[in-house]
């Protein structure tokens, strides 16, 4: 299958048969001067490598909006989880906590511009970072930013524009590029934080050291450790209260289950190496490794109502689950992750104007799941209470060849920047089966005892397997300076996938300098996101609690190629396709004021989602006891419109320096057509349109005076809508806007030692209670786009030398 989303006129204008996708020239060698009358330095003057392959672009001069966050910006947020850092710094970036949501408790979904988590491309040092092995919300399989140590980051560049023509699949919402630290010196940090309610204590430690290898390069090493205790924002479940009243001889735990953040231990290490082999040849390599262990609660099983587990039968005479779990049980869901990214390459120049870069990368994310405090009731007394549920593994291999040529054209005052190259990528997804007991259908099933490990069935032998997908791409990317005021750009990419065929995407961009310090910019682009091997081939089983009936239900998500799924209407998956248009105004002044306003419109077709849930047809074998099943599908089309506003103001205040930063995003998504626009799948429509706030913003002020530094940040989230996630008959609740205040103060004891103390959500604010979920003991919605655990107080010590 071949698709082309570009008009013939655009193809002719681009003059391409293939197009864009690697990195820019190393910003470390870039010329930071700009033409014209340069304004006083502002935050728009940072050098870039994201979204442009020209070696002399600054943030102010880009043809598309790019945010640059420094090491100081990153350290202003008290978290070792990069997702939390970006959620406070990037106005259109939202991350959810999702307690008791299976694997998403540990691999939390994060969205840019309200789009799917896997519609944002993540790069590290300009190279593609691999996906997580978890298929999350509606099947999204995205990179897990939490695997990257925050202490290893030099800066973060966020391209807020469609960039598939430059970088390939996934770059529909934008690109997040993590630049690793490479400077000499040592920094050691130790910190502790805790919520005002006395739980969620986190002990964090990080160390980074770097050396200049004489005149031959540099080496930086990183290590980071974080141990976080669980939180609980829970009331006793009403049915647990009734159970206690009916059985006064028993001591029922209060609460019987916990809603909150999981217990989590994380260890991360890495390195970043650059070595000069000659004046025109450099070897580079970097690697990141992360290991984590976490545990989360599941729903409580009531002995009086969970008949599928507590039933007594003649098949197992004398066996009664009440003897093992007299007050019910809440399964404990375990997650062990190992994540690895390795990149190595050579770059140099053939001539001073023709540079090349060859690289290869390997990425792997493996997640082992376990379940404790549970039972496979169909096995009766032979059932274990702890289960190995199996392993998910995502592996990616990339090879890139990139070239950059500065083409002198006689009619132009500056050279045309021409980048071109090729990429090969292979993705492999593997499912390892769990313990046989975790998915066994024992002889007790004939008497109504539930099969599988109760809470999360293990991956069965029939679900296990390994699947791969390969892609080959070629690209070209040009930036043309048309005099002192005009710059235009054109990029195109041809990519062929082994699973579904080929795709062609392109991008046009332009910038007009109204004055040396005020400019208009705009882009038109097409994009795509290719279905992954996991989405194409795997199946899964989940269990939940219906808030109306308080009965456990079992849902099956089938592969689109599954015969039952095809019987219910499933068709082969195809790529999601996008068209993006943006227009912006950017400015800077010699008074220290700078900023930008960018409007955008993103139309997406064949969006990826889960189908409506179907009952199992009568007479169809159902050994896993599914209450309902669904499957992945190219379900519908949407249009997303929005505005990004960023402003910075720097000035001297008294004896110190003050910085004010305003960041605001308005983002609205509407379903245009598809099955989600009709009543058969109303839940999916509501989730896509209203599950995230349309308005999100922050105002940050900092004042550095002498040895002291003060910071205040106001964060605002608009209203949003939640759903119960019931098996049938979903219930919706709208939550109002929320505003949080964060404060911090730092003191530099001397050139080596510094202290910082602060609090997030100083006024200990909480959202409205999730009334429809009270039957489960939950107080605040687990789907909230912000932390619902209240005020968090922290202290941090830093040693630098």
């Amino acid at each position: 299958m071949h698709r082309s989303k570009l008009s013939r006129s655009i193809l002719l204008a681009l003059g391409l048969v293939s197009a864009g996708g690697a990195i820019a020239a190393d910003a470390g060698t870039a010329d930071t001067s700009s033409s014209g009358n340069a304004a006083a330095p502002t935050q728009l003057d940072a050098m870039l490598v994201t979204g442009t392959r020209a070696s002399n672009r600054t943030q102010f001069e880009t043809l598309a909006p790019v945010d640059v966050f420094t090491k100081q910006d990153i350290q202003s947020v008290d978290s070792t989880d990069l997702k939390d850092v970006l959620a406070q710094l990037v106005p259109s970036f939202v991350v959810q906590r999702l307690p008791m949501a299976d694997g998403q408790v540990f691999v939390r979904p994060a969205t840019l511009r309200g789009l799917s988590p896997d519609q944002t491309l993540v790069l590290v040092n300009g190279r593609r970072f691999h996906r997580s092995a978890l298929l999350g919300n509606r099947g999204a399989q995205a990179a897990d930013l939490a695997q990257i140590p925050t202490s290893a980051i030099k800066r973060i560049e966020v391209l807020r524009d469609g960039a598939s023509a430059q970088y390939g699949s996934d770059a529909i919402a934008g690109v997040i590029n993590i630049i690793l630290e490479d400077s000499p010196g040592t920094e050691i940090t130790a910190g502790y934080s805790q919520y005002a309610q006395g739980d969620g204590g986190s002990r964090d430690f990080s160390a980074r050291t770097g050396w200049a290898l004489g005149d031959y390069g540099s080496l930086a090493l990183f290590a980071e450790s974080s141990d976080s205790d669980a939180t609980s924002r829970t009331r006793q479940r009403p049915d647990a209260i009734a159970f206690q009243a009916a059985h006064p001889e028993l001591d029922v735990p209060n609460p019987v289950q916990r809603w909150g953040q999981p217990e989590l231990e994380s260890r991360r290490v890495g390195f970043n190496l650059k070595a000069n082999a000659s004046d025109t040849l450099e070897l580079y390599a970097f690697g990141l490794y992360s290991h984590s262990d976490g545990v989360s609660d599941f729903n409580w099983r009531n002995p009086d109502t969970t008949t599928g587990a507590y039933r007594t039968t003649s098949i197992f005479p004398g066996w009664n689950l009440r003897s093992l779990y007299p007050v019910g049980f809440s399964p404990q869901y375990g997650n062990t992750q190992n994540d690895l990214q390795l990149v190595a390459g050579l770059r140099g120049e053939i001539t001073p104007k023709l540079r090349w870069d060859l690289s290869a990368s390997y990425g792997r994310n493996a997640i082992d799941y376990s379940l404790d405090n549970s039972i496979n009731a169909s096995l009766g007394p032979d059932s274990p209470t702890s289960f190995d549920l199996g392993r998910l593994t995502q592996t990616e291999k990339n090879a890139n060849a990139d070239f950059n040529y500065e083409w002198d054209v006689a009619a132009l005052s500056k050279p045309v920047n021409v980048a071109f190259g090729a990429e090969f990528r292979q993705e492999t997804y593997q499912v390892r089966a769990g313990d046989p007991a975790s998915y066994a259908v024992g002889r007790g099933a004939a008497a109504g005892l539930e099969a599988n490990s109760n809470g999360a069935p293990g991956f069965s032998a029939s679900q296990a397997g390994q699947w791969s997908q390969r892609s080959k791409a070629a690209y070209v990317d040009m930036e043309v300076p048309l005099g002192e005021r005009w710059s235009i750009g054109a990029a195109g990419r041809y990519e062929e996938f082994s699973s579904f065929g080929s795709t062609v995407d392109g991008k046009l961009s332009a910038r007009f300098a109204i004055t040396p310090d005020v400019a208009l910019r705009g882009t038109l682009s097409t994009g795509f996101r290719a279905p992954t091997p996991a989405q194409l081939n795997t199946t899964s089983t989940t269990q939940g609690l219906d808030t109306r009936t308080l009965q456990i239900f079992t849902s099956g998500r089938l592969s689109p190629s599954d015969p039952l799924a095809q019987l219910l209407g499933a068709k082969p998956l195809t790529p999601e396709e996008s068209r993006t248009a943006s227009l912006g105004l950017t400015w800077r002044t010699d008074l220290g004021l700078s900023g930008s306003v960018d409007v955008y419109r993103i139309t997406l077709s064949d969006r990826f989602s889960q189908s409506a849930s179907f009952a199992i047809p009568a007479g169809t074998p159902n050994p896993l006891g599914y209450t309902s099943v669904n499957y992945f599908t190219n379900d519908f089309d949407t249009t997303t419109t929005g505005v990004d506003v960023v402003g910075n103001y720097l000035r001297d205040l008294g004896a110190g320096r003050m910085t004010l930063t305003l960041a605001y995003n308005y983002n609205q998504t509407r379903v245009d057509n598809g099955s989600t626009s009709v009543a058969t799948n109303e839940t999916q429509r509501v989730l896509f349109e209203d599950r995230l706030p349309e308005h999100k913003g922050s105002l940050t002020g900092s004042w550095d005076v002498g040895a002291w530094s003060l910071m205040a940040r106001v964060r605002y989230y608009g209203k949003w809508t939640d759903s119960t996630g019931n098996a049938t008959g979903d219930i919706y609740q709208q939550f109002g806007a929320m505003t949080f205040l964060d404060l911090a103060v730092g003191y530099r004891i001397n050139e080596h030692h510094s202290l910082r103390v602060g609090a997030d959500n100083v006024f200990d604010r909480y959202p409205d209670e999730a009334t429809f979920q009270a039957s489960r003991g939950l107080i605040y919605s687990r789907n909230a786009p912000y932390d619902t655990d209240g005020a968090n107080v922290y202290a941090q010590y830093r040693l630098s030398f």
Side-chain angles (χ1 to χ4, degrees), residues 81-87 90 92-98 104 106-122 134 136-138 140-146 173 176 691-692 785:
D81 189 327
L82 184 54
K83 293 179 182 178
D84 292 329
V85 173
L86 288 170
V90 181
S92 61
F93 190 89
V94 176
V95 62
Q96 298 167 284
R97 280 288 180 191
L98 297 177
Q104 293 181 120
F106 306 101
V107 184
R108 297 181 295 148
T111 65
L112 187 67
R113 288 185 164 178
L115 301 183
S116 177
D118 55 3
Q119 290 170 344
T120 299
L121 177 63
V122 176
L134 175 72
N137 274 349
R138 297 177 303 281
Q141 188 184 6
D144 185 10
L145 287 161
I176 298 173
R691 67 188 174 90
L692 297 176

Short mmCIF file of all heavy atoms in Angstrom, two decimals, residues 81-87 90 92-98 104 106-122 134 136-138 140-146 173 176 691-692 785:
data_model
loop_
_atom_site.label_atom_id
_atom_site.label_comp_id
_atom_site.label_asym_id
_atom_site.label_seq_id
_atom_site.Cartn_x
_atom_site.Cartn_y
_atom_site.Cartn_z
N ASP A 81 11.43 12.35 38.41
CA ASP A 81 10.67 11.81 37.29
C ASP A 81 10.56 12.90 36.23
O ASP A 81 9.93 13.94 36.45
CB ASP A 81 9.28 11.36 37.75
CG ASP A 81 8.52 10.60 36.66
OD1 ASP A 81 8.71 10.92 35.48
OD2 ASP A 81 7.73 9.70 37.01
N LEU A 82 11.16 12.67 35.07
CA LEU A 82 11.20 13.68 34.02
C LEU A 82 9.80 14.07 33.56
O LEU A 82 9.57 15.21 33.12
CB LEU A 82 12.03 13.17 32.85
CG LEU A 82 12.27 14.13 31.69
CD1 LEU A 82 12.86 15.45 32.18
CD2 LEU A 82 13.17 13.48 30.65
N LYS A 83 8.83 13.17 33.65
CA LYS A 83 7.47 13.51 33.27
C LYS A 83 6.90 14.60 34.16
O LYS A 83 6.23 15.53 33.68
CB LYS A 83 6.58 12.27 33.33
CG LYS A 83 6.92 11.22 32.29
CD LYS A 83 6.02 10.00 32.42
CE LYS A 83 6.39 8.93 31.40
NZ LYS A 83 5.56 7.73 31.53
N ASP A 84 7.15 14.51 35.46
CA ASP A 84 6.68 15.55 36.38
C ASP A 84 7.37 16.88 36.10
O ASP A 84 6.76 17.95 36.22
CB ASP A 84 6.92 15.13 37.83
CG ASP A 84 6.04 13.96 38.25
OD1 ASP A 84 4.92 13.86 37.73
OD2 ASP A 84 6.49 13.15 39.08
N VAL A 85 8.64 16.82 35.75
CA VAL A 85 9.39 18.05 35.44
C VAL A 85 8.77 18.75 34.24
O VAL A 85 8.47 19.94 34.26
CB VAL A 85 10.87 17.73 35.19
CG1 VAL A 85 11.60 18.97 34.70
CG2 VAL A 85 11.53 17.19 36.45
N LEU A 86 8.54 17.99 33.17
CA LEU A 86 7.98 18.58 31.96
C LEU A 86 6.55 19.06 32.17
O LEU A 86 6.12 20.05 31.58
CB LEU A 86 8.03 17.56 30.82
CG LEU A 86 9.43 17.28 30.26
CD1 LEU A 86 9.40 16.10 29.31
CD2 LEU A 86 9.98 18.51 29.56
N ALA A 87 5.79 18.37 33.02
CA ALA A 87 4.42 18.78 33.28
C ALA A 87 4.36 20.16 33.92
O ALA A 87 3.39 20.91 33.73
CB ALA A 87 3.72 17.76 34.18
N VAL A 90 6.24 22.68 30.67
CA VAL A 90 5.66 22.79 29.33
C VAL A 90 4.15 22.95 29.45
O VAL A 90 3.48 22.04 29.97
CB VAL A 90 6.01 21.56 28.48
CG1 VAL A 90 5.42 21.69 27.08
CG2 VAL A 90 7.51 21.36 28.42
N SER A 92 1.59 22.69 27.44
CA SER A 92 0.70 21.74 26.77
C SER A 92 1.02 20.29 27.11
O SER A 92 0.46 19.36 26.50
CB SER A 92 0.77 21.93 25.24
OG SER A 92 2.09 21.70 24.78
N PHE A 93 1.88 20.06 28.10
CA PHE A 93 2.29 18.71 28.50
C PHE A 93 1.53 18.32 29.76
O PHE A 93 1.58 19.04 30.77
CB PHE A 93 3.80 18.68 28.75
CG PHE A 93 4.37 17.29 28.93
CD1 PHE A 93 4.81 16.56 27.83
CD2 PHE A 93 4.49 16.73 30.19
CE1 PHE A 93 5.36 15.29 27.99
CE2 PHE A 93 5.03 15.47 30.36
CZ PHE A 93 5.46 14.74 29.25
N VAL A 94 0.83 17.18 29.73
CA VAL A 94 0.01 16.73 30.86
C VAL A 94 0.36 15.28 31.16
O VAL A 94 0.49 14.45 30.25
CB VAL A 94 -1.50 16.84 30.55
CG1 VAL A 94 -2.32 16.27 31.71
CG2 VAL A 94 -1.89 18.30 30.31
N VAL A 95 0.52 14.97 32.45
CA VAL A 95 0.79 13.60 32.87
C VAL A 95 -0.18 13.25 33.99
O VAL A 95 -0.49 14.08 34.85
CB VAL A 95 2.26 13.42 33.33
CG1 VAL A 95 2.59 14.29 34.52
CG2 VAL A 95 2.56 11.96 33.64
N GLN A 96 -0.68 12.01 33.98
CA GLN A 96 -1.64 11.55 34.98
C GLN A 96 -0.99 10.56 35.94
O GLN A 96 -0.04 9.87 35.59
CB GLN A 96 -2.84 10.88 34.29
CG GLN A 96 -3.62 11.81 33.37
CD GLN A 96 -4.58 11.07 32.47
OE1 GLN A 96 -4.18 10.45 31.49
NE2 GLN A 96 -5.85 11.10 32.79
N ARG A 97 -1.52 10.49 37.17
CA ARG A 97 -1.01 9.54 38.17
C ARG A 97 -1.56 8.14 37.97
O ARG A 97 -0.85 7.15 38.06
CB ARG A 97 -1.37 10.03 39.58
CG ARG A 97 -0.45 11.10 40.10
CD ARG A 97 0.91 10.53 40.44
NE ARG A 97 1.82 11.54 40.94
CZ ARG A 97 3.11 11.34 41.11
NH1 ARG A 97 3.65 10.18 40.82
NH2 ARG A 97 3.88 12.29 41.57
N LEU A 98 -2.88 8.01 37.77
CA LEU A 98 -3.54 6.73 37.49
C LEU A 98 -3.27 5.65 38.53
O LEU A 98 -2.80 4.56 38.19
CB LEU A 98 -3.15 6.22 36.09
CG LEU A 98 -3.56 7.10 34.92
CD1 LEU A 98 -3.05 6.51 33.62
CD2 LEU A 98 -5.06 7.28 34.87
N GLN A 104 -0.09 1.09 34.05
CA GLN A 104 0.00 2.54 33.90
C GLN A 104 0.30 3.24 35.22
O GLN A 104 0.63 4.43 35.23
CB GLN A 104 -1.31 3.08 33.32
CG GLN A 104 -1.53 2.63 31.90
CD GLN A 104 -2.82 3.19 31.33
OE1 GLN A 104 -2.80 3.91 30.34
NE2 GLN A 104 -3.93 2.87 31.95
N PHE A 106 2.88 2.58 36.85
CA PHE A 106 4.34 2.68 36.81
C PHE A 106 4.84 3.36 35.52
O PHE A 106 5.87 4.02 35.55
CB PHE A 106 4.95 1.29 36.94
CG PHE A 106 4.46 0.54 38.14
CD1 PHE A 106 3.49 -0.44 38.02
CD2 PHE A 106 4.96 0.82 39.40
CE1 PHE A 106 3.03 -1.14 39.13
CE2 PHE A 106 4.49 0.14 40.52
CZ PHE A 106 3.52 -0.84 40.38
N VAL A 107 4.14 3.16 34.42
CA VAL A 107 4.48 3.83 33.16
C VAL A 107 3.32 4.77 32.85
O VAL A 107 2.37 4.41 32.17
CB VAL A 107 4.70 2.82 32.02
CG1 VAL A 107 5.15 3.54 30.75
CG2 VAL A 107 5.74 1.77 32.42
N ARG A 108 3.39 5.99 33.39
CA ARG A 108 2.26 6.90 33.32
C ARG A 108 2.17 7.56 31.95
O ARG A 108 3.18 8.00 31.41
CB ARG A 108 2.38 7.96 34.42
CG ARG A 108 2.33 7.38 35.82
CD ARG A 108 2.42 8.46 36.87
NE ARG A 108 3.70 9.14 36.82
CZ ARG A 108 3.88 10.42 37.13
NH1 ARG A 108 2.85 11.17 37.46
NH2 ARG A 108 5.09 10.95 37.08
N PRO A 109 0.98 7.64 31.39
CA PRO A 109 0.83 8.28 30.08
C PRO A 109 1.04 9.78 30.16
O PRO A 109 0.57 10.44 31.09
CB PRO A 109 -0.61 7.94 29.68
CG PRO A 109 -1.32 7.73 30.99
CD PRO A 109 -0.30 7.13 31.91
N ALA A 110 1.75 10.33 29.20
CA ALA A 110 2.00 11.77 29.14
C ALA A 110 1.65 12.25 27.74
O ALA A 110 1.98 11.60 26.75
CB ALA A 110 3.47 12.08 29.45
N THR A 111 0.96 13.38 27.66
CA THR A 111 0.49 13.87 26.38
C THR A 111 1.00 15.28 26.11
O THR A 111 1.16 16.09 27.02
CB THR A 111 -1.05 13.89 26.31
OG1 THR A 111 -1.55 14.84 27.27
CG2 THR A 111 -1.61 12.52 26.65
N LEU A 112 1.26 15.57 24.84
CA LEU A 112 1.62 16.90 24.37
C LEU A 112 0.52 17.36 23.44
O LEU A 112 0.12 16.65 22.52
CB LEU A 112 2.97 16.86 23.65
CG LEU A 112 3.57 18.20 23.22
CD1 LEU A 112 3.98 19.02 24.45
CD2 LEU A 112 4.79 17.98 22.32
N ARG A 113 0.01 18.56 23.70
CA ARG A 113 -1.09 19.14 22.92
C ARG A 113 -2.33 18.26 22.91
O ARG A 113 -3.10 18.24 21.94
CB ARG A 113 -0.63 19.44 21.50
CG ARG A 113 0.33 20.63 21.43
CD ARG A 113 0.70 21.00 20.01
NE ARG A 113 1.30 22.34 19.98
CZ ARG A 113 1.75 22.94 18.88
NH1 ARG A 113 1.68 22.30 17.73
NH2 ARG A 113 2.26 24.15 18.93
N GLY A 114 -2.55 17.50 23.98
CA GLY A 114 -3.75 16.70 24.12
C GLY A 114 -3.82 15.49 23.23
O GLY A 114 -4.85 14.79 23.21
N LEU A 115 -2.77 15.18 22.50
CA LEU A 115 -2.79 14.03 21.60
C LEU A 115 -2.31 12.77 22.34
O LEU A 115 -1.98 12.81 23.52
CB LEU A 115 -1.92 14.32 20.38
CG LEU A 115 -2.35 15.54 19.55
CD1 LEU A 115 -1.45 15.69 18.32
CD2 LEU A 115 -3.80 15.44 19.13
N SER A 116 -2.28 11.67 21.64
CA SER A 116 -1.92 10.40 22.27
C SER A 116 -0.47 10.43 22.73
O SER A 116 0.38 11.08 22.12
CB SER A 116 -2.13 9.28 21.25
OG SER A 116 -1.72 8.04 21.78
N PRO A 117 -0.14 9.71 23.82
CA PRO A 117 1.25 9.68 24.29
C PRO A 117 2.25 9.24 23.23
O PRO A 117 3.39 9.70 23.24
CB PRO A 117 1.19 8.69 25.46
CG PRO A 117 -0.21 8.78 25.97
CD PRO A 117 -1.05 8.99 24.74
N ASP A 118 1.85 8.34 22.33
CA ASP A 118 2.80 7.87 21.32
C ASP A 118 2.77 8.71 20.05
O ASP A 118 3.31 8.29 19.01
CB ASP A 118 2.58 6.38 21.00
CG ASP A 118 1.16 6.07 20.57
OD1 ASP A 118 0.34 7.00 20.47
OD2 ASP A 118 0.86 4.87 20.35
N GLN A 119 2.17 9.90 20.12
CA GLN A 119 2.24 10.83 19.01
C GLN A 119 3.23 11.96 19.28
O GLN A 119 3.22 12.98 18.59
CB GLN A 119 0.84 11.39 18.71
CG GLN A 119 -0.07 10.33 18.10
CD GLN A 119 -1.52 10.76 18.02
OE1 GLN A 119 -1.94 11.71 18.65
NE2 GLN A 119 -2.29 10.04 17.22
N THR A 120 4.07 11.78 20.29
CA THR A 120 5.19 12.67 20.57
C THR A 120 6.48 11.86 20.49
O THR A 120 6.62 10.83 21.15
CB THR A 120 5.06 13.30 21.96
OG1 THR A 120 3.87 14.08 22.04
CG2 THR A 120 6.27 14.20 22.26
N LEU A 121 7.41 12.32 19.67
CA LEU A 121 8.68 11.62 19.51
C LEU A 121 9.67 12.08 20.57
O LEU A 121 9.80 13.28 20.83
CB LEU A 121 9.26 11.90 18.12
CG LEU A 121 10.64 11.30 17.81
CD1 LEU A 121 10.58 9.78 17.85
CD2 LEU A 121 11.14 11.78 16.46
N VAL A 122 10.36 11.14 21.20
CA VAL A 122 11.38 11.44 22.21
C VAL A 122 12.76 11.10 21.65
O VAL A 122 12.98 10.00 21.13
CB VAL A 122 11.12 10.64 23.50
CG1 VAL A 122 12.25 10.88 24.50
CG2 VAL A 122 9.79 11.04 24.12
N LEU A 134 4.99 -1.31 27.55
CA LEU A 134 3.59 -1.27 27.97
C LEU A 134 2.72 -0.62 26.91
O LEU A 134 3.04 0.44 26.39
CB LEU A 134 3.46 -0.47 29.28
CG LEU A 134 2.02 -0.25 29.75
CD1 LEU A 134 1.43 -1.56 30.27
CD2 LEU A 134 1.95 0.83 30.81
N GLY A 136 -0.50 1.36 26.85
CA GLY A 136 -1.24 2.08 27.87
C GLY A 136 -2.63 2.46 27.44
O GLY A 136 -3.37 1.67 26.85
N ASN A 137 -3.01 3.73 27.74
CA ASN A 137 -4.35 4.21 27.44
C ASN A 137 -4.71 3.96 25.99
O ASN A 137 -4.03 4.40 25.08
CB ASN A 137 -4.45 5.71 27.73
CG ASN A 137 -4.77 5.99 29.18
OD1 ASN A 137 -5.12 5.08 29.92
ND2 ASN A 137 -4.66 7.25 29.58
N ARG A 138 -5.82 3.25 25.78
CA ARG A 138 -6.33 2.96 24.44
C ARG A 138 -5.24 2.40 23.54
O ARG A 138 -5.24 2.60 22.32
CB ARG A 138 -6.96 4.23 23.82
CG ARG A 138 -8.17 4.72 24.61
CD ARG A 138 -8.71 5.99 24.02
NE ARG A 138 -7.70 7.05 23.96
CZ ARG A 138 -7.34 7.79 24.99
NH1 ARG A 138 -7.88 7.58 26.18
NH2 ARG A 138 -6.43 8.73 24.86
N ALA A 140 -1.92 3.02 23.47
CA ALA A 140 -0.76 3.83 23.13
C ALA A 140 0.52 3.19 23.65
O ALA A 140 0.57 2.73 24.80
CB ALA A 140 -0.91 5.24 23.69
N GLN A 141 1.54 3.16 22.81
CA GLN A 141 2.84 2.62 23.21
C GLN A 141 3.89 3.69 22.99
O GLN A 141 4.37 3.89 21.88
CB GLN A 141 3.17 1.35 22.43
CG GLN A 141 4.42 0.65 22.94
CD GLN A 141 4.81 -0.55 22.11
OE1 GLN A 141 4.23 -0.83 21.06
NE2 GLN A 141 5.83 -1.27 22.57
N ALA A 142 4.25 4.38 24.06
CA ALA A 142 5.12 5.55 23.95
C ALA A 142 6.43 5.32 24.68
O ALA A 142 6.57 4.37 25.47
CB ALA A 142 4.42 6.77 24.54
N ALA A 143 7.39 6.18 24.42
CA ALA A 143 8.63 6.18 25.20
C ALA A 143 8.33 6.58 26.63
O ALA A 143 7.47 7.42 26.89
CB ALA A 143 9.63 7.15 24.58
N ASP A 144 9.03 5.98 27.58
CA ASP A 144 8.84 6.28 29.00
C ASP A 144 9.93 7.25 29.46
O ASP A 144 11.05 6.85 29.75
CB ASP A 144 8.88 4.99 29.82
CG ASP A 144 8.57 5.24 31.30
OD1 ASP A 144 8.16 6.37 31.64
OD2 ASP A 144 8.76 4.30 32.10
N LEU A 145 9.58 8.52 29.56
CA LEU A 145 10.55 9.55 29.95
C LEU A 145 11.08 9.33 31.35
O LEU A 145 12.17 9.83 31.69
CB LEU A 145 9.89 10.93 29.85
CG LEU A 145 9.67 11.45 28.42
CD1 LEU A 145 8.64 12.55 28.42
CD2 LEU A 145 10.98 11.94 27.82
N ALA A 146 10.35 8.60 32.19
CA ALA A 146 10.80 8.38 33.56
C ALA A 146 12.07 7.54 33.63
O ALA A 146 12.72 7.49 34.68
CB ALA A 146 9.69 7.70 34.37
N ALA A 173 2.54 15.39 17.37
CA ALA A 173 2.35 16.50 18.30
C ALA A 173 3.60 17.35 18.45
O ALA A 173 3.53 18.55 18.71
CB ALA A 173 1.92 15.96 19.68
N ILE A 176 10.44 15.93 21.73
CA ILE A 176 11.14 16.26 22.97
C ILE A 176 12.56 15.71 22.86
O ILE A 176 12.75 14.49 22.74
CB ILE A 176 10.43 15.66 24.20
CG1 ILE A 176 9.03 16.25 24.34
CG2 ILE A 176 11.25 15.91 25.47
CD1 ILE A 176 8.20 15.60 25.43
N ARG A 691 -11.32 14.67 28.44
CA ARG A 691 -10.62 14.06 29.57
C ARG A 691 -9.47 14.91 30.08
O ARG A 691 -8.98 14.69 31.20
CB ARG A 691 -10.08 12.68 29.17
CG ARG A 691 -8.98 12.75 28.13
CD ARG A 691 -8.58 11.39 27.60
NE ARG A 691 -7.63 11.51 26.51
CZ ARG A 691 -6.31 11.55 26.68
NH1 ARG A 691 -5.80 11.45 27.89
NH2 ARG A 691 -5.52 11.68 25.63
N LEU A 692 -8.98 15.87 29.28
CA LEU A 692 -7.90 16.74 29.70
C LEU A 692 -8.37 18.19 29.70
O LEU A 692 -9.27 18.55 28.93
CB LEU A 692 -6.69 16.59 28.77
CG LEU A 692 -6.02 15.22 28.72
CD1 LEU A 692 -4.92 15.21 27.67
CD2 LEU A 692 -5.46 14.84 30.08
N PRO A 785 -5.47 15.19 35.93
CA PRO A 785 -4.27 15.60 35.19
C PRO A 785 -3.23 16.29 36.06
O PRO A 785 -2.34 16.97 35.55
CB PRO A 785 -4.85 16.57 34.15
CG PRO A 785 -6.01 17.17 34.83
CD PRO A 785 -6.60 16.09 35.69
#
